[in-house]
Amino acid sequence: MKNKIKLERAIKNITQEDLAKKIGVSRQTINAMEAGKYVPSTVLALKIARYFGKQVEDIFELKDED
């Protein structure tokens, strides 16, 4: 699954740690998602989308092989 978390963080000028604290996960979780090593739960994806004021589909995108 592809995501635009890093891009959205850059727009808001926040760190992985800042985002992690806002949504209640570890910085390592944010890092793993940005690296494509971790697929978030539906609840976590919704929390991230809500924080950025976007739809889930604006931040997360299925790859062809997903």
Side-chain angles (χ1 to χ4, degrees):
M1 177 181 285
K2 296 188 226 176
N3 69 69
K4 298 178 183 171
I5 297 171
K6 188 172 184 174
L7 174 65
E8 294 296 333
R9 282 193 311 99
I11 291 168
K12 278 196 173 262
N13 196 28
I14 62 168
T15 65
Q16 288 180 343
E17 185 71 28
D18 294 333
L19 178 58
K21 286 179 183 175
K22 293 285 185 185
I23 61 172
V25 297
S26 70
R27 185 201 57 78
Q28 290 85 351
T29 298
I30 302 299
N31 187 31
M33 281 191 285
E34 288 183 0
K37 296 178 181 176
Y38 177 75
V39 176
S41 67
T42 304
V43 172
L44 183 53
L46 287 165
K47 284 182 179 181
I48 292 168
R50 180 186 291 164
Y51 175 77
F52 290 119
K54 305 265 178 147
Q55 297 292 316
V56 172
E57 295 86 359
D58 294 335
I59 298 176
F60 297 96
E61 180 184 333
L62 286 175
K63 294 180 186 175
D64 290 337
E65 63 269 13
D66 288 342

